[in-house]
Amino acid sequence: MADKVRVALVGAGGLCDLVEEKLHATADKFGIERRFTDYKQMIEDTDPQAIYILMPPHHLYDLVVHSLDCKLHVFIEKPPGVTLDQISHLAHRAEQNLCLTIVGFNRRYTPLLRKCKEMVFEHAGSPHQVVSTFYKWHNPPAPYYNGAVDILTSDAIHAVDTMRWMAAAEVDDLAAVVRNHGQNLALSWNALCRFENDCVGVLLTNWRTGGRTHQFEMHGDGISVFCNPDYEAIIHRDGEERAEIITTQEAAGSDENYKYYGFWDQSRHFIDCIQKNHEPESCFADAVRTMELVDRILHTGL
Ligand SMILES: NC(=O)c1ccc[n+]([C@@H]2O[C@H](COP(=O)([O-])OP(=O)(O)OC[C@H]3O[C@@H](n4cnc5c(N)ncnc54)[C@H](O)[C@@H]3O)[C@@H](O)[C@H]2O)c1
C-alpha cells in the first residue's frame, strides 16, 4: 500500500483557482508551492492520482468529465450535479475509466451519527423507523446561484442522503409534500417513505423556519437515538428511564468542527479507499440513488 496519495485541488482557492487572490491566500495558508489558474495545465504538470473539485454544482460537470478521462480518482462536494442525468453519466464514466469517486455527503461521516447507527444495528439488527430533518431561516428567500439549481438538490439533499444511509435500504414507495410558503420558489420538502426493508422514513425540511437545526432519529426494537451532530445524541434503551448522552466532541475526540462534522472522516475514507482500491461508500453510483430520491420528491410533491 502506497504511503501517500498525490492529490490536486480545484476551486475554493486551493492549488488551482481562477481568482488569483483566493488561490494565493489559500495556498499560502497551507504552504502549497505549486499553483495554477488552469486546471488542465495543473493535471498535466503535476500528474496527480486524485483530484478534489470543489465547485458550485453548475460549474462541475466539464471538470469532472475531464478528470475522469485523465483516469483520476475524483472527490466532489454535494450536490453531485444539477440533474440526475448528470450524475448518472458521471457514474458511468467513472466506471468505464476505473476511477474511484466520492461525493462529500459529510453528514454520513460524522463520528456521532456513525456511532449511533452502529448502536442501533447492534441492538436491533436494523432500524424500523428513521427521521431526517433539516431546517433553516433562508431570508430573503432567493434561489441559490440565481436559480441554477433548486434548494432541495443543492442543500436539503443532505437530509435526503442521510435518511437513505440511516435506513440502509432504497425507497420502495413514497408520498411527498413540497411547499412555497407564500414565496415564489419551493422552500419546504417533506416525504413519508417506505423502504424496501420495511423501514419507515420521514423527511422534514423547511427553509422558512426559526433557524438552522439539523437532527436525525433512528428507532429499532428496544432502541431510540435522537442525534444532533452539532451537539449530542440521546440514546434510550429497552424502556429504561435514564438515557445515555454522547456529545459530538466525545464521539469525534475533537472540538474542531472539521473533525466532528464529518469533513475529516470523509476525506480520510476517500484516501484510504484509493490506497486499498475500494469503492468509497458515497461514490457516484451511490449518489445516483440519492439524486433519484430527490427527483421523486420534487416530481411527486403535492
Ligand atoms: N458539505 C457541506 O456542508 C458544504 C458546505 C459548503 C459548501 N458545500 C459545497 O461546496 C461546493 C463549493 O461551494 P463554495 O461555497 O466553496 O463555492 P465557491 O464559489 O466559494 O468556490 C468555488 C471556487 O472555485 C473557483 N473556480 C470556479 N471555476 C473554476 C475553474 N474552472 N478552475 C479553477 N477554479 C475555479 C472560484 O473562483 C471559487 O473560488 C458547492 O457545491 C457547495 O454546495 C458543501
Side-chain angles (χ1 to χ4, degrees), residues 59-70:
H59 295 149
L60 197 60
Y61 188 82
D62 291 351
L63 283 79
V64 178
V65 166
H66 180 79
S67 301
L68 292 173
D69 287 349
C70 292

Side-chain angles (χ1 to χ4, degrees), residues 9-14 16-19 22-23 36-39 53-60 63 76-80 104-107 144-145 154-155 158 212 261 263 266:
L9 192 147
V10 190
C16 173
D17 201 292
L18 293 175
V19 180
K22 286 193 193 177
L23 167 65
F36 300 82
T37 49
D38 177 341
Y39 73 94
I53 305 175
L54 310 175
M55 224 25 75
H58 50 301
H59 295 149
L60 197 60
L63 283 79
I76 59 174
E77 263 299 341
K78 62 78 205 165
F105 284 125
N106 62 301
R107 276 45 165 189
Y144 279 18
Y145 306 114
S154 184
D155 201 358
H158 275 305
R212 186 187 183 283
Y261 222 61
F263 300 108
Q266 72 183 4

Side-chain angles (χ1 to χ4, degrees), residues 227-243:
C227 181
N228 181 336
D230 284 289
Y231 303 108
E232 64 182 23
I234 301 171
I235 302 112
H236 298 269
R237 285 192 182 80
D238 301 321
E240 283 169 16
E241 218 167 277
R242 186 186 289 252

